[in-house]
Amino acid sequence: MARRTFSGREVVKVLVNRGGFEWRRTAGDHAQLYYEHPTYEEDKRHVTVPLHDEVRKGTLRNIAESGGARDFDAFCAWIDRNS
């Protein structure tokens, strides 16, 4: 089973470098990430990631859902493999 403890910067790095998200701005200590599907214009997502040393499990689950992940365990494994 993949680990479920990640820093906010690890999550942002993977979402931007491998997930196609764009880091548009930072509000306080939270990164605002945006995704727009290249061909399906209606697929737009907005994810806020706290830039903390450790992202709580519930917050990580919300990030996964907002980012379009269907399986939380697979999302954590993907972050772990690519971080």
Side-chain angles (χ1 to χ4, degrees):
M1 176 168 17
R3 66 186 172 116
R4 293 185 177 190
T5 305
F6 303 99
S7 73
R9 294 207 179 269
E10 284 179 300
V11 174
V12 167
K13 178 181 136 187
V14 174
L15 288 175
V16 169
N17 292 336
R18 303 294 251 160
F21 283 80
E22 178 184 353
W23 186 348
R24 289 196 187 160
R25 66 189 195 102
T26 304
D29 63 346
H30 290 74
Q32 305 287 318
L33 306 179
Y34 295 87
Y35 172 84
E36 292 182 23
H37 194 277
T39 57
Y40 185 61
E41 292 180 14
E42 294 180 18
D43 188 5
K44 296 180 181 180
R45 301 177 193 152
H46 171 249
V47 177
T48 301
V49 180
L51 300 173
H52 301 159
D53 291 336
E54 184 176 320
V55 177
R56 292 181 179 189
K57 183 179 171 185
T59 304
L60 187 60
R61 187 175 296 276
N62 288 339
I63 292 167
E65 289 174 7
S66 297
R70 297 186 194 328
D71 180 1
F72 179 66
D73 291 325
F75 176 78
C76 289
W78 180 69
I79 296 289
D80 193 25
R81 277 192 316 273
N82 292 291
S83 62

